[in-house]
Amino acid sequence: MKIFADISSFSNDIDQFTMWMVIASTIVTVGIIVAIIVFSTRYHASKVTESVKEFTSWKLEWGFLVGTLIVFMAFFTWATQIYRKQIKPLTPDYKVFVYGKRWMWKFHHQNGFVEINELHLPVGKNIRFTMISEDVIHSLYFPDFRIKQDVLPERYTVLALKPTKTGTYPLFCTEYCGTAHSAMMGATKVVDEKAYLEAITLYDKTQKELSGRDLFIKHDCVTCHTADQQFRQLSDDTLRASILYPTKAMPSYKNVLTEEETMKLIEYIKQTRTRL
Ligand SMILES: [Cu+2]
């Protein structure tokens, strides 16, 4: 049942969950207050008889305990399922790479197009965000989509969502990250797929940043690896560690590559892997 604004694949889930959580908490809170008032007048010391003093009911006590436990464990399970949906994305139609940096959001689209504090997204498509911070912990928050995810240094986090309604929505950083934290925000522009593809191709091609392949050549990876080498099936985090913190013969690229370049190399390596 959809009773709330349907702006992303999560907005309805989260709103329903919050609504039932508020209803359940209200019932429990009101129940306790009513019980306090009723019991304190009805069983006031002046009125208490011997039979009341002796009354105990294990059934009642366990009933309350187990009953509330079941209700709130159900909420827990429900919330966990919504969370799993966020982190176990479906096959993405488009990927976006997100870099948090004091104090701005940088978004790289698959074709190399870069936006700062502005994010174009296609409506009705599954988007997978791979995110990393270049300094401290940030958190990417889309209030209208009812979704947020921390953006950490030294580790990739992912977020998957499907915007379901076109429009312009704000995005924020929700992890206090210093002086201009409150200014670390932007606008999400959800447009139809055609407009999205136009938006991301409408940029100055001469300003195009180096691609993963360019970087693979520029940083001499090719002297030891061939461009079509079959790299092992490693997670993004492990590939990142192999490049920035190698354990054996390979030199470390920690202070050579930026996070943006590292991510591009990883995407390039994964591409050549699937091509073979
Ligand atoms: Cu921040």
Side-chain angles (χ1 to χ4, degrees), residues 63-75:
F64 275 128
L65 271 178
V66 177
T68 43
L69 183 71
I70 290 174
V71 169
F72 285 93
M73 283 308 284
F75 274 111

Side-chain angles (χ1 to χ4, degrees), residues 2-232:
K2 288 193 169 152
I3 51 174
F4 297 102
D6 192 14
I7 295 172
S8 87
S9 42
F10 293 106
S11 46
N12 195 62
D13 281 349
I14 300 285
D15 285 357
Q16 293 248 354
F17 178 83
T18 312
M19 181 186 74
W20 287 109
M21 195 77 201
V22 169
I23 291 174
S25 309
T26 309
I27 291 172
V28 171
T29 311
V30 171
I32 290 171
I33 293 170
V34 168
I36 290 173
I37 294 168
V38 170
F39 288 1
S40 59
T41 49
R42 190 160 164 199
Y43 302 111
H44 188 267
S46 61
K47 298 179 199 158
V48 173
T49 59
E50 282 309 305
S51 70
V52 168
K53 272 186 188 163
E54 277 160 23
F55 178 80
T56 51
S57 166
W58 289 110
K59 270 188 201 153
L60 206 58
E61 285 215 23
W62 280 103
F64 275 128
L65 271 178
V66 177
T68 43
L69 183 71
I70 290 174
V71 169
F72 285 93
M73 283 308 284
F75 274 111
F76 172 73
T77 318
W78 184 7
T80 310
Q81 250 155 16
I82 299 175
Y83 180 65
R84 276 172 57 99
K85 225 165 105 182
Q86 294 175 8
I87 57 164
K88 280 255 155 146
L90 329 148
T91 344
D93 298 309
Y94 294 98
K95 292 184 196 168
V96 175
F97 304 96
V98 182
Y99 304 91
K101 199 173 180 175
R102 284 181 292 182
W103 288 277
M104 64 174 191
W105 290 110
K106 218 166 169 185
F107 302 99
H108 282 229
H109 295 264
Q110 256 172 299
N111 68 338
F113 177 55
V114 182
E115 304 183 275
I116 289 171
N117 293 344
E118 191 176 71
L119 173 64
H120 283 84
L121 292 177
V123 71
K125 297 286 161 190
N126 291 316
I127 327 274
R128 184 193 167 102
F129 297 89
T130 308
M131 324 197 279
I132 196 159
S133 165
E134 293 184 16
D135 39 49
V136 298
I137 301 178
H138 300 281
S139 189
L140 182 61
Y141 178 36
F142 301 100
D144 296 274
F145 296 162
R146 304 286 191 267
I147 197 167
K148 72 170 183 174
Q149 170 63 52
D150 279 7
V151 178
L152 311 171
E154 298 288 326
R155 210 183 103 188
Y156 293 125
T157 48
V158 296
L159 183 61
L161 70 88
K162 182 164 75 179
T164 47
K165 195 168 168 230
T166 54
T168 302
Y169 311 101
L171 63 87
F172 297 107
C173 175
T174 45
E175 185 65 53
Y176 181 61
C177 57
T179 324
H181 160 69
S182 61
M184 195 169 159
M185 53 181 168
T188 318
K189 298 192 169 155
V190 179
V191 292
D192 60 48
E193 192 176 19
K194 198 168 150 270
Y196 168 73
L197 291 172
E198 267 166 26
I200 67 167
T201 38
L202 257 184
Y203 68 102
D204 187 358
K205 289 248 168 45
T206 57
Q207 296 253 306
K208 196 175 174 190
E209 307 200 358
L210 294 178
S211 70
R213 186 172 178 279
D214 300 336
L215 292 162
F216 202 78
I217 295 161
K218 183 187 163 203
H219 289 285
D220 295 334
C221 315
V222 275
T223 53
C224 305
H225 303 285
T226 55
D228 59 357
Q229 172 178 344
Q230 180 103 56
F231 285 99
R232 286 181 296 148

Side-chain angles (χ1 to χ4, degrees), residues 235-270:
S235 72
D236 289 354
D237 275 308
T238 320
L239 283 169
R240 183 177 172 280
S242 314
I243 299 168
L244 301 185
Y245 308 105
T247 49
K248 295 175 211 139
M250 181 173 146
S252 165
Y253 283 88
K254 173 66 189 153
N255 297 313
V256 180
L257 298 169
T258 63
E259 290 296 350
E260 293 164 40
E261 292 170 329
T262 310
M263 186 102 81
K264 280 185 189 168
L265 279 165
I266 290 173
E267 282 302 303
Y268 174 65
I269 287 170
K270 290 198 296 194

